[in-house]
Amino acid sequence: MSGSNSFPAGGFGVGGPEGMWQAFEQLRSTFEKRVGTRMGRGDVRAAVLALLAEKPMHGYQIIREIEERSGGSWKPSAGSVYPTLQLLADEGLLTAEESNGRKTYALTEAGRAEAEEAGPAPWESGAGSTGGMPGDAFGPLPKAGVELAQAAAQVRRTGTPEQVQQAVTVLDEARRRLYSILAQD
């Protein structure tokens, strides 16, 4: 993650409950942006470039391939894929040939160079992986973390001071138990 998405120094316990709540809000918002069906424009662009580097495709194939390769966790809408294709064509990075009423898109040499510079596809870089391994944004651990952060944020927004303190105690215990998992042989 970039510096703007880093958590408070020392983890959730430093800075008292306020620092922890800020960290949970940040965790929740970071994962909400990455988990589910919506991803950023840069991710759609990177995905389109990665797929077209393999072979020419039409828009519906691109949408289907992204969904399949992300294990169903990300299905970009036509409203995000087709404008991206048009933008890439305008930039001279791909060509479109119409056949049987469908446009098939292929990368130009400049497009191939751009695809190589873009690095791994979003589903390969951890943004869309489904294996459940550390770093996977769509695995079960980040999903559980998002749900925990959402619950903590809800307690902060609507809970009484006593409920907030109870939540702090629960979260501190959860943090200790998570670290104890790593300490086991």
Side-chain angles (χ1 to χ4, degrees):
M1 285 189 213
S2 68
S4 64
N5 287 338
S6 61
F7 295 109
F12 295 136
V14 173
E18 200 56 38
M20 181 189 63
W21 293 125
Q22 289 173 355
F24 264 110
E25 283 290 344
Q26 196 164 15
L27 177 69
R28 181 187 58 76
S29 67
T30 298
F31 277 112
E32 280 182 346
K33 289 176 191 163
R34 300 183 87 192
V35 175
T37 59
R38 291 188 62 97
M39 302 238 341
R41 279 191 196 126
D43 294 313
V44 174
R45 180 185 179 97
V48 169
L49 288 168
L51 290 173
L52 293 179
E54 294 176 11
K55 67 180 183 180
M57 296 183 186
H58 56 78
Y60 178 70
Q61 284 176 298
I62 292 169
I63 293 168
R64 222 177 44 229
E65 279 293 317
I66 292 171
E67 180 180 24
E68 185 176 306
R69 293 182 192 208
S70 70
S73 297
W74 177 31
K75 182 179 181 182
S77 68
S80 64
V81 170
Y82 286 101
T84 300
L85 289 167
Q86 183 60 53
L87 179 64
L88 293 170
D90 291 347
E91 292 175 8
L93 301 177
L94 60 83
T95 60
E97 284 188 29
E98 194 154 344
S99 173
N100 297 329
R102 284 204 164 157
K103 283 186 180 179
T104 300
Y105 301 90
L107 292 180
T108 62
E109 285 306 313
R112 290 199 177 285
E114 178 93 7
E116 285 179 31
E117 283 180 31
W123 52 85
E124 293 171 351
S125 64
S129 183
T130 60
M133 300 302 291
D136 288 350
F138 295 125
L141 185 59
K143 182 178 185 292
V146 167
E147 291 169 352
L148 179 62
Q150 288 171 332
Q154 182 68 30
V155 171
R156 179 178 188 216
R157 283 190 300 272
T158 62
T160 65
E162 293 79 21
Q163 290 170 325
V164 168
Q165 189 53 52
Q166 287 175 350
V168 169
T169 302
V170 167
L171 292 172
D172 282 343
E173 175 62 21
R175 178 181 39 80
R176 283 191 291 277
R177 289 185 65 188
L178 287 170
Y179 280 125
S180 75
I181 291 169
L182 293 175
Q184 297 172 5
D185 290 330

